[in-house]
Amino acid sequence: MLIIPIKEGENIDRALKRYKRKVRNTKLLNNLRENKHFTKKSVKKRKQLGKASYKQHLQDQENQ
């Protein structure tokens, strides 16, 4: 659970902005979406390898 202390006289929009930033930084929504359905370890590993190869490809293009 995320707790956002609101200072006295603080605008509610500013507090909402801080809350949204905190949610994004903690990757709370990503974890909730990930845990919505079970994924096998082999599928997770394949996805990680795909991301790694894509990043490597981008880095190789950048260095050329």
Side-chain angles (χ1 to χ4, degrees):
M1 175 187 249
L2 296 175
I3 298 172
I4 307 295
I6 298 175
K7 298 167 187 157
E8 201 162 318
E10 184 179 19
N11 192 355
I12 191 72
D13 292 329
R14 193 164 221 22
L16 269 173
K17 189 174 183 178
R18 282 195 341 215
Y19 173 75
K20 288 178 183 179
R21 187 178 331 126
K22 201 169 205 181
V23 167
R24 189 174 55 241
N25 288 344
T26 58
K27 300 180 182 178
L28 182 68
L29 285 178
N30 289 345
N31 288 338
L32 287 174
R33 288 182 185 133
E34 241 179 56
N35 294 334
K36 206 172 195 180
H37 301 287
F38 178 76
T39 53
K40 294 177 9 181
K41 286 185 180 181
S42 60
V43 174
K44 284 183 184 178
K45 190 172 184 179
R46 194 178 323 136
K47 193 173 182 178
Q48 276 184 335
L49 287 173
K51 282 183 181 180
S53 66
Y54 176 73
K55 284 184 178 180
Q56 185 68 41
H57 176 72
L58 288 179
Q59 192 175 26
D60 289 344
Q61 280 184 341
E62 190 177 285
N63 289 337
Q64 287 180 353

